[in-house]
Amino acid sequence: MEILLIHSVYGVRPALEQAAGRLREAGHEVHVPDLFEGLSPADMEEGLALRDEIGTDELLKRAVRAAAPYSDKGLVYAGFSLGGAIAQNLALADEKARGLVLFSGTSDLPDDASAEDLPVQLHVTENDPFEPHDWLNAWYLRMQRAGADVEVYRYPGAGHLYTDPDLPDYDAEAAEATWRTVQGFLDSL
């Protein structure tokens, strides 16, 4: 499977490279674009400020350029937090998308969104401050209405970027459960 894996507001960092390595070891071809063009924020606040400085439209353009060489093959789009929101937008705009894997990040859907039979997995924690229950419930219903085949996995007790071992949010048990589930999902595509 060919995967475009998009970083969070922390940029390309060791945990992202470890995630890509994990997927490569499972036999997937993984592309990791650097939408921050070499900048690595030290913390969430700095990352959010950089996101705002670059602008979401520019980040989306950079992601489209990164996906372009591979999209004809039918990509699986995946991303962490901000990267999940960007991956979702790319997948919904790509008729050849093979799947969508979201780690702690979603995006709003336009009323006319179409994701007919797109396999989607969302992995999120129970008390994620960036993905509250009401938002996720509405997101789920809108994705289903768009035609996506959506699975949502919620993990108790973990933090927002719980798969990143270098952050205080890290939860080893939830991260391992996530990776097992993601691998099963990718194997089924």
Side-chain angles (χ1 to χ4, degrees), residues 52 57 61 117 147:
D52 293 344
D57 287 345
K61 287 177 190 175
D117 299 322

PDB file of all heavy atoms in Angstrom, residues 52 57 61 117 147:
ATOM      1  N   ASP A  52      -0.547  28.955  11.779  1.00  0.00           N
ATOM      2  CA  ASP A  52      -1.281  30.183  11.478  1.00  0.00           C
ATOM      3  C   ASP A  52      -0.478  31.117  10.580  1.00  0.00           C
ATOM      4  O   ASP A  52      -1.037  31.775   9.696  1.00  0.00           O
ATOM      5  CB  ASP A  52      -1.673  30.896  12.771  1.00  0.00           C
ATOM      6  CG  ASP A  52      -2.693  30.100  13.576  1.00  0.00           C
ATOM      7  OD1 ASP A  52      -3.315  29.166  13.027  1.00  0.00           O
ATOM      8  OD2 ASP A  52      -2.854  30.408  14.771  1.00  0.00           O
ATOM      9  N   ASP A  57      -4.500  27.272   3.938  1.00  0.00           N
ATOM     10  CA  ASP A  57      -4.569  27.138   2.477  1.00  0.00           C
ATOM     11  C   ASP A  57      -3.200  26.779   1.903  1.00  0.00           C
ATOM     12  O   ASP A  57      -3.098  25.911   1.037  1.00  0.00           O
ATOM     13  CB  ASP A  57      -5.088  28.419   1.820  1.00  0.00           C
ATOM     14  CG  ASP A  57      -6.569  28.638   2.040  1.00  0.00           C
ATOM     15  OD1 ASP A  57      -7.262  27.671   2.445  1.00  0.00           O
ATOM     16  OD2 ASP A  57      -7.043  29.765   1.809  1.00  0.00           O
ATOM     17  N   LYS A  61      -2.004  23.378  -0.038  1.00  0.00           N
ATOM     18  CA  LYS A  61      -1.329  23.410  -1.344  1.00  0.00           C
ATOM     19  C   LYS A  61      -0.040  22.595  -1.307  1.00  0.00           C
ATOM     20  O   LYS A  61       0.270  21.851  -2.246  1.00  0.00           O
ATOM     21  CB  LYS A  61      -1.017  24.853  -1.758  1.00  0.00           C
ATOM     22  CG  LYS A  61      -2.217  25.644  -2.188  1.00  0.00           C
ATOM     23  CD  LYS A  61      -1.819  27.078  -2.512  1.00  0.00           C
ATOM     24  CE  LYS A  61      -3.047  27.947  -2.703  1.00  0.00           C
ATOM     25  NZ  LYS A  61      -2.679  29.364  -2.892  1.00  0.00           N
ATOM     26  N   ASP A 117     -17.844   4.979  -0.369  1.00  0.00           N
ATOM     27  CA  ASP A 117     -17.134   3.734  -0.054  1.00  0.00           C
ATOM     28  C   ASP A 117     -15.675   3.931   0.360  1.00  0.00           C
ATOM     29  O   ASP A 117     -14.884   2.991   0.294  1.00  0.00           O
ATOM     30  CB  ASP A 117     -17.206   2.754  -1.232  1.00  0.00           C
ATOM     31  CG  ASP A 117     -18.638   2.361  -1.563  1.00  0.00           C
ATOM     32  OD1 ASP A 117     -19.431   2.199  -0.619  1.00  0.00           O
ATOM     33  OD2 ASP A 117     -18.953   2.235  -2.756  1.00  0.00           O
ATOM     34  N   GLY A 147     -20.896   8.983   2.468  1.00  0.00           N
ATOM     35  CA  GLY A 147     -20.704   7.663   1.874  1.00  0.00           C
ATOM     36  C   GLY A 147     -19.481   6.912   2.347  1.00  0.00           C
ATOM     37  O   GLY A 147     -19.197   5.817   1.858  1.00  0.00           O
TER      38      GLY A 147
END
